Amino acid sequence: QVQLVESGGGLVQAGGSLRLSCAASGGTISNRAVGWFRQAPGKEREFVAAISWSGGMTYYADSVKGRFTIARENAKNAVHLQMNSLKPEDTAVYYCAAPSRLRSPQRSATEYEYWGQGTQVTVSS
């Protein structure tokens, strides 16, 4: 059973940066895709970014393309989300997720079996 723990959230001013990390234990995520999702108050959970098992393929939501970068650090069984040029509308709880076996990145939350507890990102204007 894979456990995922996110870290790196916090409060930042608009235009600032944060780097979120997703650390896995109880199993490896180096052989499967990993995704990041976010949920703002009163809104549904939405896709942010995903990366293939090898790191060779990445997907991004249009709203974060060019500002966020997803990367994996397989030696540490971790995936990171570098967030630059943050906007107030990026404020949300950010979750990382991993599927049971899939290696290619997925945009749909239903493809992911394992989820972290989330980390709060707040961007002030």
Side-chain angles (χ1 to χ4, degrees), residues 13 20 33-34 37 43-45 47 50-51 57 59 66-67 72 79 82 90 92-93 98 103 107 110 114 116 120-121:
Q13 287 189 330
L20 304 184
V34 173
F37 292 78
K43 295 188 176 181
E44 293 189 355
R45 189 171 298 190
F47 169 77
I51 189 167
M57 188 181 301
Y59 291 160
R67 300 188 297 122
R72 56 189 318 142
V79 172
Q82 178 67 42
D90 293 319
V93 177
R103 295 193 167 200
R107 297 179 186 272
T110 59
Y114 304 105
Q120 176 70 47
V121 171

Side-chain angles (χ1 to χ4, degrees), residues 9-71:
L11 173 64
V12 65
Q13 287 189 330
S17 298
L18 283 174
R19 183 178 185 245
L20 304 184
S21 294
C22 173
S25 62
T28 182
I29 57 171
S30 63
N31 60 355
R32 64 187 90 190
V34 173
W36 283 95
F37 292 78
R38 66 186 182 187
Q39 188 167 18
K43 295 188 176 181
E44 293 189 355
R45 189 171 298 190
E46 65 173 357
F47 169 77
V48 176
I51 189 167
S52 64
W53 72 280
S54 66
M57 188 181 301
T58 55
Y59 291 160
Y60 295 94
D62 288 343
S63 58
V64 307
K65 203 172 293 182
R67 300 188 297 122
F68 290 12
T69 303
I70 188 171

